[in-house]
Amino acid sequence: MQLSLCTWAEVEAYLGRADGIIVPIGSTEQHGPNGLIGTDAICAEAVANGVGEETGAMVGPVMSIGMAQHHLAFPGSITLRPSTMIAFVSDYVFSLARHGFRRFFFINGHGGNIAPLSAAFSELYAAASLDASGSVPRLRCVSRNWFDGAEVGKLSREFYGDRLGSHATPSEVALTQFLHPAHIKKAEMPPVTPTRRRFTDALDLRALHPDGRIGSEPSLATPEHGRALYEAAVRECSAAWRSFVQEA
Ligand code: NI
């Protein structure tokens, strides 16, 4: 069930039988020579909606802009500051908590979101911990990257070996190719160069990785790979969602 496609009465009825929600969270940032700017948001949203269809879970609207300051030297990239993202996550979650949602299962598509998301969860917990009156709702939040499961990892290694890399990966590009076949891009790219060190700010990332890839060969992506990765990610995230909502 997508929250955006429900009426308020349908949400109220859902809350009569469940208090968990899935929140897809992505980013809007460059993804190398053939990757779509929306890759991380597109992948997280599609996997989240797939889990919603599989399990009957409510799925909130995608947070399509994340913490991507390091990509800003490439046109089209948009970022939230870490502090803005923490505030955004907090307002999103507390809005839904006001209605009775208590368990929040984030499906994440972007590595740069991990640290601010974790900090946002600490803010949510701190709000309850610091409130001696007990009026702040006590919440449970987890985050899972769609690409972190064992089955997705195995497929990625089979398809791409050591050319998966860490950004603009062929696996995420393949997933968008499966989802948006009319927007498959072709681009020439030289063999990827080894990563020398961790980037810092946007200009540093562009200097280290001039075409936006980080250790990856996204030219290896195919829509058929994308379908297999999508199905595996939905299976794995569905299992993780089920155990999350059942845990005591
Ligand atoms: Ni990405």
Side-chain angles (χ1 to χ4, degrees), residues 75-105:
S77 302
I78 303 176
T79 194
L80 301 176
R81 292 163 195 267
S83 53
T84 311
M85 182 168 159
I86 292 167
F88 181 41
V89 169
S90 183
D91 287 356
Y92 185 121
V93 168
F94 272 138
S95 298
L96 293 170
R98 188 184 189 286
H99 311 305
F101 287 98
R102 291 294 179 267
R103 296 189 193 214
F104 294 82
F105 186 88

mmCIF file of all heavy atoms in Angstrom, residues 75-105:
data_model
loop_
_atom_site.group_PDB
_atom_site.id
_atom_site.type_symbol
_atom_site.label_atom_id
_atom_site.label_comp_id
_atom_site.label_asym_id
_atom_site.label_seq_id
_atom_site.Cartn_x
_atom_site.Cartn_y
_atom_site.Cartn_z
ATOM 1 N N PRO A 75 26.860 18.495 -12.522
ATOM 2 C CA PRO A 75 25.554 19.114 -12.742
ATOM 3 C C PRO A 75 24.388 18.170 -12.447
ATOM 4 O O PRO A 75 24.429 16.985 -12.777
ATOM 5 C CB PRO A 75 25.578 19.473 -14.235
ATOM 6 C CG PRO A 75 27.022 19.602 -14.563
ATOM 7 C CD PRO A 75 27.734 18.595 -13.696
ATOM 8 N N GLY A 76 23.368 18.745 -11.840
ATOM 9 C CA GLY A 76 22.156 17.986 -11.552
ATOM 10 C C GLY A 76 22.077 17.460 -10.139
ATOM 11 O O GLY A 76 20.993 17.122 -9.664
ATOM 12 N N SER A 77 23.214 17.370 -9.459
ATOM 13 C CA SER A 77 23.209 16.826 -8.097
ATOM 14 C C SER A 77 22.600 17.837 -7.130
ATOM 15 O O SER A 77 22.805 19.042 -7.254
ATOM 16 C CB SER A 77 24.639 16.492 -7.649
ATOM 17 O OG SER A 77 25.216 15.561 -8.541
ATOM 18 N N ILE A 78 21.850 17.324 -6.176
ATOM 19 C CA ILE A 78 21.200 18.150 -5.151
ATOM 20 C C ILE A 78 21.518 17.516 -3.801
ATOM 21 O O ILE A 78 21.518 16.285 -3.681
ATOM 22 C CB ILE A 78 19.656 18.158 -5.339
ATOM 23 C CG1 ILE A 78 19.283 18.646 -6.743
ATOM 24 C CG2 ILE A 78 18.987 19.026 -4.284
ATOM 25 C CD1 ILE A 78 17.774 18.576 -7.030
ATOM 26 N N THR A 79 21.776 18.340 -2.793
ATOM 27 C CA THR A 79 22.045 17.770 -1.472
ATOM 28 C C THR A 79 21.243 18.450 -0.376
ATOM 29 O O THR A 79 20.826 19.596 -0.512
ATOM 30 C CB THR A 79 23.543 17.873 -1.110
ATOM 31 O OG1 THR A 79 23.803 17.019 0.008
ATOM 32 C CG2 THR A 79 23.954 19.298 -0.752
ATOM 33 N N LEU A 80 21.018 17.705 0.692
ATOM 34 C CA LEU A 80 20.652 18.290 1.968
ATOM 35 C C LEU A 80 21.930 18.316 2.799
ATOM 36 O O LEU A 80 22.738 17.386 2.725
ATOM 37 C CB LEU A 80 19.613 17.425 2.697
ATOM 38 C CG LEU A 80 18.289 17.158 1.981
ATOM 39 C CD1 LEU A 80 17.439 16.196 2.816
ATOM 40 C CD2 LEU A 80 17.527 18.454 1.730
ATOM 41 N N ARG A 81 22.119 19.368 3.602
ATOM 42 C CA ARG A 81 23.189 19.300 4.604
ATOM 43 C C ARG A 81 22.844 18.169 5.563
ATOM 44 O O ARG A 81 21.647 17.874 5.765
ATOM 45 C CB ARG A 81 23.236 20.596 5.406
ATOM 46 C CG ARG A 81 23.680 21.798 4.638
ATOM 47 C CD ARG A 81 23.290 23.062 5.396
ATOM 48 N NE ARG A 81 23.397 24.197 4.497
ATOM 49 C CZ ARG A 81 24.485 24.951 4.384
ATOM 50 N NH1 ARG A 81 25.530 24.722 5.156
ATOM 51 N NH2 ARG A 81 24.533 25.919 3.500
ATOM 52 N N PRO A 82 23.858 17.557 6.206
ATOM 53 C CA PRO A 82 23.528 16.526 7.192
ATOM 54 C C PRO A 82 22.518 17.022 8.221
ATOM 55 O O PRO A 82 21.569 16.302 8.575
ATOM 56 C CB PRO A 82 24.883 16.208 7.832
ATOM 57 C CG PRO A 82 25.881 16.540 6.769
ATOM 58 C CD PRO A 82 25.314 17.708 6.013
ATOM 59 N N SER A 83 22.680 18.267 8.691
ATOM 60 C CA SER A 83 21.760 18.791 9.719
ATOM 61 C C SER A 83 20.345 18.942 9.167
ATOM 62 O O SER A 83 19.361 18.689 9.877
ATOM 63 C CB SER A 83 22.276 20.128 10.259
ATOM 64 O OG SER A 83 22.531 21.020 9.189
ATOM 65 N N THR A 84 20.222 19.347 7.884
ATOM 66 C CA THR A 84 18.888 19.468 7.268
ATOM 67 C C THR A 84 18.248 18.090 7.147
ATOM 68 O O THR A 84 17.053 17.921 7.395
ATOM 69 C CB THR A 84 18.990 20.103 5.871
ATOM 70 O OG1 THR A 84 19.784 21.282 5.943
ATOM 71 C CG2 THR A 84 17.616 20.437 5.317
ATOM 72 N N MET A 85 19.062 17.114 6.761
ATOM 73 C CA MET A 85 18.509 15.776 6.579
ATOM 74 C C MET A 85 18.022 15.202 7.906
ATOM 75 O O MET A 85 16.961 14.566 7.965
ATOM 76 C CB MET A 85 19.557 14.855 5.948
ATOM 77 C CG MET A 85 19.001 13.473 5.705
ATOM 78 S SD MET A 85 20.045 12.460 4.683
ATOM 79 C CE MET A 85 19.403 10.868 5.180
ATOM 80 N N ILE A 86 18.774 15.433 8.960
ATOM 81 C CA ILE A 86 18.353 14.948 10.282
ATOM 82 C C ILE A 86 17.013 15.581 10.648
ATOM 83 O O ILE A 86 16.086 14.899 11.119
ATOM 84 C CB ILE A 86 19.447 15.252 11.332
ATOM 85 C CG1 ILE A 86 20.688 14.395 11.054
ATOM 86 C CG2 ILE A 86 18.923 15.019 12.751
ATOM 87 C CD1 ILE A 86 21.927 14.833 11.814
ATOM 88 N N ALA A 87 16.884 16.890 10.396
ATOM 89 C CA ALA A 87 15.624 17.582 10.708
ATOM 90 C C ALA A 87 14.483 17.065 9.831
ATOM 91 O O ALA A 87 13.346 16.892 10.290
ATOM 92 C CB ALA A 87 15.803 19.088 10.518
ATOM 93 N N PHE A 88 14.775 16.800 8.567
ATOM 94 C CA PHE A 88 13.760 16.329 7.617
ATOM 95 C C PHE A 88 13.241 14.943 8.029
ATOM 96 O O PHE A 88 12.028 14.704 8.097
ATOM 97 C CB PHE A 88 14.374 16.313 6.216
ATOM 98 C CG PHE A 88 13.451 15.880 5.113
ATOM 99 C CD1 PHE A 88 12.130 16.287 5.075
ATOM 100 C CD2 PHE A 88 13.921 15.075 4.080
ATOM 101 C CE1 PHE A 88 11.283 15.893 4.046
ATOM 102 C CE2 PHE A 88 13.086 14.674 3.050
ATOM 103 C CZ PHE A 88 11.772 15.077 3.042
ATOM 104 N N VAL A 89 14.179 14.052 8.334
ATOM 105 C CA VAL A 89 13.785 12.701 8.761
ATOM 106 C C VAL A 89 12.953 12.786 10.040
ATOM 107 O O VAL A 89 11.917 12.124 10.187
ATOM 108 C CB VAL A 89 15.034 11.808 8.973
ATOM 109 C CG1 VAL A 89 14.667 10.490 9.667
ATOM 110 C CG2 VAL A 89 15.717 11.528 7.634
ATOM 111 N N SER A 90 13.382 13.631 10.942
ATOM 112 C CA SER A 90 12.698 13.773 12.221
ATOM 113 C C SER A 90 11.263 14.278 12.013
ATOM 114 O O SER A 90 10.315 13.746 12.607
ATOM 115 C CB SER A 90 13.513 14.753 13.069
ATOM 116 O OG SER A 90 12.943 14.869 14.325
ATOM 117 N N ASP A 91 11.075 15.275 11.164
ATOM 118 C CA ASP A 91 9.726 15.813 10.924
ATOM 119 C C ASP A 91 8.843 14.781 10.206
ATOM 120 O O ASP A 91 7.649 14.651 10.514
ATOM 121 C CB ASP A 91 9.791 17.104 10.097
ATOM 122 C CG ASP A 91 10.313 18.284 10.904
ATOM 123 O OD1 ASP A 91 10.544 18.121 12.126
ATOM 124 O OD2 ASP A 91 10.515 19.365 10.315
ATOM 125 N N TYR A 92 9.418 14.075 9.263
ATOM 126 C CA TYR A 92 8.684 13.031 8.531
ATOM 127 C C TYR A 92 8.190 11.971 9.525
ATOM 128 O O TYR A 92 7.007 11.604 9.542
ATOM 129 C CB TYR A 92 9.644 12.438 7.488
ATOM 130 C CG TYR A 92 9.125 11.412 6.492
ATOM 131 C CD1 TYR A 92 9.197 11.648 5.115
ATOM 132 C CD2 TYR A 92 8.621 10.176 6.907
ATOM 133 C CE1 TYR A 92 8.772 10.695 4.189
ATOM 134 C CE2 TYR A 92 8.198 9.216 5.988
ATOM 135 C CZ TYR A 92 8.284 9.489 4.635
ATOM 136 O OH TYR A 92 7.868 8.542 3.714
ATOM 137 N N VAL A 93 9.118 11.487 10.364
ATOM 138 C CA VAL A 93 8.781 10.399 11.289
ATOM 139 C C VAL A 93 7.801 10.870 12.356
ATOM 140 O O VAL A 93 6.794 10.199 12.638
ATOM 141 C CB VAL A 93 10.076 9.825 11.924
ATOM 142 C CG1 VAL A 93 9.751 8.914 13.100
ATOM 143 C CG2 VAL A 93 10.880 9.063 10.873
ATOM 144 N N PHE A 94 8.054 12.038 12.948
ATOM 145 C CA PHE A 94 7.161 12.498 14.025
ATOM 146 C C PHE A 94 5.757 12.824 13.487
ATOM 147 O O PHE A 94 4.767 12.681 14.212
ATOM 148 C CB PHE A 94 7.757 13.691 14.763
ATOM 149 C CG PHE A 94 8.655 13.292 15.912
ATOM 150 C CD1 PHE A 94 9.853 13.947 16.129
ATOM 151 C CD2 PHE A 94 8.309 12.263 16.793
ATOM 152 C CE1 PHE A 94 10.689 13.586 17.185
ATOM 153 C CE2 PHE A 94 9.136 11.884 17.847
ATOM 154 C CZ PHE A 94 10.330 12.554 18.041
ATOM 155 N N SER A 95 5.666 13.263 12.235
ATOM 156 C CA SER A 95 4.331 13.488 11.631
ATOM 157 C C SER A 95 3.548 12.185 11.621
ATOM 158 O O SER A 95 2.367 12.142 12.008
ATOM 159 C CB SER A 95 4.458 13.997 10.194
ATOM 160 O OG SER A 95 5.123 15.226 10.146
ATOM 161 N N LEU A 96 4.214 11.113 11.183
ATOM 162 C CA LEU A 96 3.527 9.821 11.111
ATOM 163 C C LEU A 96 3.318 9.228 12.503
ATOM 164 O O LEU A 96 2.307 8.560 12.744
ATOM 165 C CB LEU A 96 4.314 8.855 10.215
ATOM 166 C CG LEU A 96 4.350 9.256 8.733
ATOM 167 C CD1 LEU A 96 5.344 8.393 7.965
ATOM 168 C CD2 LEU A 96 2.970 9.148 8.103
ATOM 169 N N ALA A 97 4.228 9.492 13.414
ATOM 170 C CA ALA A 97 4.085 8.992 14.786
ATOM 171 C C ALA A 97 2.861 9.625 15.450
ATOM 172 O O ALA A 97 2.193 8.998 16.277
ATOM 173 C CB ALA A 97 5.345 9.297 15.586
ATOM 174 N N ARG A 98 2.558 10.848 15.085
ATOM 175 C CA ARG A 98 1.389 11.531 15.646
ATOM 176 C C ARG A 98 0.105 10.735 15.359
ATOM 177 O O ARG A 98 -0.847 10.765 16.122
ATOM 178 C CB ARG A 98 1.292 12.931 15.028
ATOM 179 C CG ARG A 98 0.239 13.817 15.657
ATOM 180 C CD ARG A 98 0.148 15.138 14.902
ATOM 181 N NE ARG A 98 -0.707 16.087 15.596
ATOM 182 C CZ ARG A 98 -2.037 16.027 15.644
ATOM 183 N NH1 ARG A 98 -2.663 15.041 15.035
ATOM 184 N NH2 ARG A 98 -2.732 16.930 16.301
ATOM 185 N N HIS A 99 0.111 10.023 14.220
ATOM 186 C CA HIS A 99 -1.084 9.252 13.831
ATOM 187 C C HIS A 99 -1.084 7.844 14.413
ATOM 188 O O HIS A 99 -2.077 7.136 14.292
ATOM 189 C CB HIS A 99 -1.176 9.153 12.305
ATOM 190 C CG HIS A 99 -1.014 10.460 11.619
ATOM 191 N ND1 HIS A 99 -1.782 11.556 11.909
ATOM 192 C CD2 HIS A 99 -0.146 10.865 10.655
ATOM 193 C CE1 HIS A 99 -1.395 12.579 11.158
ATOM 194 N NE2 HIS A 99 -0.416 12.187 10.396
ATOM 195 N N GLY A 100 0.047 7.418 14.950
ATOM 196 C CA GLY A 100 0.097 6.091 15.551
ATOM 197 C C GLY A 100 1.158 5.164 14.971
ATOM 198 O O GLY A 100 1.320 4.045 15.451
ATOM 199 N N PHE A 101 1.869 5.579 13.936
ATOM 200 C CA PHE A 101 2.965 4.735 13.436
ATOM 201 C C PHE A 101 4.078 4.702 14.482
ATOM 202 O O PHE A 101 4.415 5.726 15.086
ATOM 203 C CB PHE A 101 3.506 5.276 12.105
ATOM 204 C CG PHE A 101 2.589 5.054 10.936
ATOM 205 C CD1 PHE A 101 1.752 6.069 10.491
ATOM 206 C CD2 PHE A 101 2.554 3.828 10.288
ATOM 207 C CE1 PHE A 101 0.893 5.866 9.412
ATOM 208 C CE2 PHE A 101 1.698 3.619 9.211
ATOM 209 C CZ PHE A 101 0.865 4.638 8.772
ATOM 210 N N ARG A 102 4.631 3.510 14.711
ATOM 211 C CA ARG A 102 5.675 3.365 15.719
ATOM 212 C C ARG A 102 6.939 2.702 15.180
ATOM 213 O O ARG A 102 8.017 2.888 15.722
ATOM 214 C CB ARG A 102 5.141 2.537 16.911
ATOM 215 C CG ARG A 102 4.082 3.274 17.739
ATOM 216 C CD ARG A 102 4.669 4.486 18.446
ATOM 217 N NE ARG A 102 3.701 5.235 19.228
ATOM 218 C CZ ARG A 102 3.003 6.286 18.777
ATOM 219 N NH1 ARG A 102 3.174 6.731 17.530
ATOM 220 N NH2 ARG A 102 2.147 6.920 19.561
ATOM 221 N N ARG A 103 6.805 1.880 14.154
ATOM 222 C CA ARG A 103 7.991 1.184 13.620
ATOM 223 C C ARG A 103 8.265 1.694 12.210
ATOM 224 O O ARG A 103 7.378 1.668 11.347
ATOM 225 C CB ARG A 103 7.768 -0.322 13.600
ATOM 226 C CG ARG A 103 7.605 -0.877 14.999
ATOM 227 C CD ARG A 103 7.592 -2.395 15.008
ATOM 228 N NE ARG A 103 7.128 -2.859 16.310
ATOM 229 C CZ ARG A 103 7.553 -3.953 16.924
ATOM 230 N NH1 ARG A 103 8.438 -4.733 16.342
ATOM 231 N NH2 ARG A 103 7.083 -4.292 18.109
ATOM 232 N N PHE A 104 9.498 2.126 12.006
ATOM 233 C CA PHE A 104 9.888 2.757 10.738
ATOM 234 C C PHE A 104 11.043 1.962 10.125
ATOM 235 O O PHE A 104 12.109 1.845 10.729
ATOM 236 C CB PHE A 104 10.302 4.208 10.988
ATOM 237 C CG PHE A 104 9.147 5.061 11.459
ATOM 238 C CD1 PHE A 104 8.763 5.064 12.792
ATOM 239 C CD2 PHE A 104 8.423 5.827 10.559
ATOM 240 C CE1 PHE A 104 7.683 5.823 13.222
ATOM 241 C CE2 PHE A 104 7.339 6.585 10.974
ATOM 242 C CZ PHE A 104 6.966 6.588 12.317
ATOM 243 N N PHE A 105 10.780 1.434 8.950
ATOM 244 C CA PHE A 105 11.753 0.583 8.259
ATOM 245 C C PHE A 105 12.217 1.337 7.010
ATOM 246 O O PHE A 105 11.504 1.391 6.008
ATOM 247 C CB PHE A 105 11.078 -0.732 7.900
ATOM 248 C CG PHE A 105 11.982 -1.779 7.301
ATOM 249 C CD1 PHE A 105 12.675 -2.663 8.115
ATOM 250 C CD2 PHE A 105 12.111 -1.905 5.932
ATOM 251 C CE1 PHE A 105 13.487 -3.651 7.561
ATOM 252 C CE2 PHE A 105 12.919 -2.889 5.368
ATOM 253 C CZ PHE A 105 13.612 -3.762 6.183
#
